[in-house]
């Protein structure tokens, strides 16, 4: 038996699975936070801060203006709800996923990682572990032994200490206790970060871990192809992972009735629907989506769901950019109807819309709804106004609507 879906039905299922039908609370609480994390599964972390760091934005997109202390409390204070690891890329994940990442950690422990120059030297590793064990959580700068730095990874200057710490982190020998004000990782022993009830659980087999990660990916996607299910927790990047291993996990989930085979009209590949997926008649969402939002981070899936071609242009030379440096899609109802290049000018206290473009078929209320969402975003970012540059076919209308709102 296979579920037959239109592209519009698949889109609405995906939006509900990601939390875009959940009501926004007047004052989001930790319960709201927990509900949202249960939907997204992970929050991707990125250092770009031209608007707001990546891990804060998906929460705003779903919860509305919230106190970012909720995320800090969930990730830094015992008992932790979320913890940082390479679950997608660098990301916050529910702390109970730690055991299911142990096989991934062990793989990195055995072979190292290209970014850390494979394995760190045993002598340096022992020294760093001993110092953290004795003195508590530390940043790389606090532990730096002053060895020459190398320009690696888009110009990041990583010392020998930093690369060793990253090896220890990715291999699970250290955990991240928090990020400091400079956005540096603060490393500590896992037993001082991960709740004992989670840390000492039996280690699942690679197959058990794969099944659990695909199960969670399916819940967060609602409907997805095999490729998307593998990508959500980056199973394809594990050396031991291959398509047959994924197929066995999918077969088990289908046999248990948790996943249903599906076909989506217009999709070239077969798909799966999670048994708890909800298909509403309509979705009344309104949200700005970070480039790192799980709804749009897999660009091929974004194009299939929304007929929306999206590429981040941060690394594109300015003269060659089509839409701008930090462009956010604007979701209205169940469609992406516009995109806007945003920057938070914190010194001037202004949210800058450097360019704004409507998508084909965007409804007449697009500018007004986008202006209202920008107003909420500016308030959340503690900015006093909105400044719209005359770039893009939506800019004039957006500027007029922001003036009506007092922006």
């Amino acid at each position: 038996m296979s579920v037959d879906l239109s592209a519009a039905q698949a889109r609405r299922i995906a939006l509900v699975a990601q939390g875009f039908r959940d009501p926004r609370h007047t004052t989001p609480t930790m319960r709201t936070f927990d509900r949202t994390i249960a939907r997204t599964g992970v929050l991707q972390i990125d250092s770009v801060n031209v608007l707001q760091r990546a891990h804060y934005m998906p929460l705003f997109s779903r919860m509305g203006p919230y106190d970012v202390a909720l995320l800090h409390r969930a990730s830094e204070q015992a008992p932790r709800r979320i913890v940082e690891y390479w679950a997608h890329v660098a990301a916050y994940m529910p702390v109970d996923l730690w055991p299911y990442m142990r096989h991934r950690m062990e793989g990195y422990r055995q072979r190292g990682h290209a970014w850390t120059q494979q394995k760190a030297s045993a002598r340096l590793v022992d020294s760093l572990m001993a110092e953290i064990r004795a003195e508590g959580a530390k940043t790389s700068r606090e532990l730096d032994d002053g060895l020459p730095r190398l320009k690696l990874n888009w110009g990041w200057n990583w010392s020998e200490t930093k690369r060793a710490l990253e090896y220890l982190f990715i291999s699970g020998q250290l955990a991240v206790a928090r990020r400091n004000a400079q956005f540096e990782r603060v490393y500590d022993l896992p037993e001082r970060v991960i709740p004992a009830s989670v840390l000492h659980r039996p280690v699942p087999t690679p197959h058990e871990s794969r099944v659990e990660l695909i199960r969670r990916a399916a819940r967060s996607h609602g409907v997805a192809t095999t490729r998307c299910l593998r990508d959500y927790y980056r199973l394809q990047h594990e050396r031991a992972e291959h398509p047959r291993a994924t197929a066995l996990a999918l077969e088990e989930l289908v046999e248990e009735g948790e996943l249903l085979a599906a076909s989506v009209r217009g999709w070239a590949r077969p798909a799966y629907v999670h048994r708890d997926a909800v298909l509403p008649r309509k979705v009344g969402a309104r949200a700005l989506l970070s480039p790192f939002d799980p709804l749009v981070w897999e660009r091929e899936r974004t194009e299939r769901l929304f007929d929306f071609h999206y590429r981040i242009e941060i690394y594109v030379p300015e003269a060659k950019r089509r839409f701008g440096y930090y462009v956010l899609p604007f979701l209205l109802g169940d469609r992406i109807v516009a995109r806007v290049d945003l920057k938070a000018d914190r010194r001037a206290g202004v949210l800058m819309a450097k360019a704004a473009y409507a998508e084909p078929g965007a409804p007449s209320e697009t500018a007004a709804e986008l202006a209202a969402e920008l107003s909420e975003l500016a308030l959340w970012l503690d900015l006093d106004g909105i400044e719209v540059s005359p770039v893009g076919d939506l800019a004039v209308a957006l500027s007029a609507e922001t003036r009506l709102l007092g922006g």
Side-chain angles (χ1 to χ4, degrees):
M1 177 182 174
S2 178
V3 179
D4 180 56
L5 297 169
S6 68
Q9 288 173 323
R11 182 167 62 248
R12 295 198 298 273
I13 287 172
L15 286 166
V16 172
Q18 279 289 315
F20 286 100
R21 201 179 63 150
D22 295 345
R24 287 186 174 183
H25 295 168
T26 303
T27 303
T29 64
M30 189 58 80
R31 181 174 294 181
T32 323
F33 176 91
D34 289 342
R35 181 188 67 181
T36 305
I37 292 295
R39 304 289 197 200
T40 66
V42 288
L43 297 173
Q44 183 172 337
I45 298 170
D46 190 82
S47 60
V48 176
N49 197 26
V50 66
L51 177 68
Q52 174 62 291
R53 297 202 192 276
H55 47 289
Y56 295 109
M57 279 301 299
L59 298 171
F60 171 80
S61 299
R62 291 153 179 81
M63 294 162 46
Y66 71 99
D67 185 349
V68 297
L70 288 175
L71 189 146
H72 297 162
R73 198 170 89 207
S75 62
E76 298 173 8
Q77 297 179 21
R80 284 176 173 80
R81 287 169 158 81
I82 57 175
V83 67
E84 184 173 343
Y85 188 64
W86 285 83
H88 178 71
V89 287
Y92 288 113
M93 65 180 188
V95 73
D96 67 348
L97 263 185
W98 186 269
Y100 296 99
M101 293 293 167
R102 293 289 288 272
H103 68 290
R104 185 174 298 186
M105 296 171 183
E106 184 58 30
Y108 285 126
R109 184 168 187 161
Q110 292 177 8
R111 69 179 185 270
H113 188 279
W115 284 14
T116 63
Q117 282 198 347
Q118 304 306 316
K119 292 185 182 180
S121 73
R123 182 178 178 183
L124 180 55
V125 162
D126 290 345
S127 172
L128 293 171
M129 290 293 292
E131 188 166 347
I132 290 173
R133 186 174 292 110
E135 299 184 16
K138 300 274 189 177
T139 66
S140 174
R141 282 192 303 152
E142 291 170 329
L143 290 161
D144 205 329
D145 54 13
L147 292 176
R149 295 175 180 270
L150 299 176
K151 279 206 168 186
L152 301 169
N153 310 316
W154 299 288
W156 297 341
N157 290 312
W158 280 16
S159 66
E160 292 286 340
T161 299
K162 173 63 175 175
R163 285 189 282 115
L165 288 166
E166 286 297 298
Y167 163 72
L168 290 168
F169 164 55
I170 204 168
S171 63
Q173 297 173 75
L174 289 177
V176 175
R178 62 185 182 279
R179 294 269 185 157
N180 67 11
Q182 290 73 44
F183 202 58
E184 297 170 309
R185 286 184 174 125
V186 182
Y187 304 89
D188 205 348
L189 302 177
E191 55 264 36
R192 297 202 287 242
V193 175
I194 309 300
S197 60
V198 173
L199 187 65
H200 299 307
R201 287 179 189 171
V203 178
T205 66
H207 174 73
E208 289 169 338
S209 295
R210 191 176 298 113
V211 168
E212 180 62 20
L213 293 174
I214 290 175
R215 173 186 288 118
R216 294 194 186 211
R219 286 177 185 158
S220 292
H221 271 323
V223 57
T225 64
T226 299
R227 174 176 172 174
C228 291
L229 293 174
R230 295 180 77 205
D231 178 72
Y232 209 84
Y233 290 99
R234 292 294 168 94
L235 289 171
Q236 73 273 28
H237 288 185
E238 296 178 15
R239 182 169 293 183
E241 179 65 22
H242 52 83
R244 183 55 188 157
T246 303
L248 289 172
L250 286 168
E251 287 171 12
E252 182 173 319
L253 289 166
V254 169
E255 187 175 330
E256 292 174 354
E258 187 152 2
L259 296 187
L260 306 174
S263 59
V264 181
R265 279 164 257 162
W267 290 19
R269 300 185 182 97
Y272 296 89
V273 176
H274 193 271
R275 68 183 174 199
D276 296 333
V278 175
L279 173 55
R281 291 187 176 183
K282 63 180 293 187
V283 175
R286 191 187 77 188
L288 288 158
L289 304 172
S290 158
F292 307 102
D293 192 292
L295 184 66
V296 295
W297 68 27
E298 214 294 319
R299 308 307 192 205
E300 182 181 310
R301 174 179 170 84
T302 303
E303 198 154 352
R304 285 198 308 267
L305 282 174
F306 297 99
D307 192 23
F308 180 79
H309 182 79
Y310 183 43
R311 298 292 184 271
I312 190 167
E313 298 183 86
I314 289 174
Y315 303 112
V316 176
E318 185 174 1
K320 295 183 178 180
R321 289 177 196 142
R322 185 178 175 191
F323 295 109
Y325 179 80
Y326 202 74
V327 175
L328 283 74
F330 178 53
L331 174 69
L332 186 63
D334 69 350
R335 301 301 301 260
I336 292 175
V337 299
R339 61 186 91 203
V340 57
D341 182 19
L342 294 179
K343 177 180 179 179
D345 186 339
R346 295 172 178 87
R347 285 190 176 182
V350 171
L351 176 61
M352 300 174 64
K354 302 179 72 177
Y357 300 87
E359 288 298 295
S364 58
E365 66 269 22
T366 296
E369 295 287 354
L370 177 54
E373 193 66 15
L374 290 175
S375 180
E376 282 203 2
L377 178 62
L379 181 67
W380 179 57
L381 295 176
D382 199 24
L383 300 172
D384 298 322
I386 302 168
E387 180 181 298
V388 181
S389 299
V391 179
D393 59 7
L394 191 60
V396 171
L398 180 61
S399 181
E401 294 292 346
T402 56
R403 285 197 298 271
L404 288 174
L405 291 174

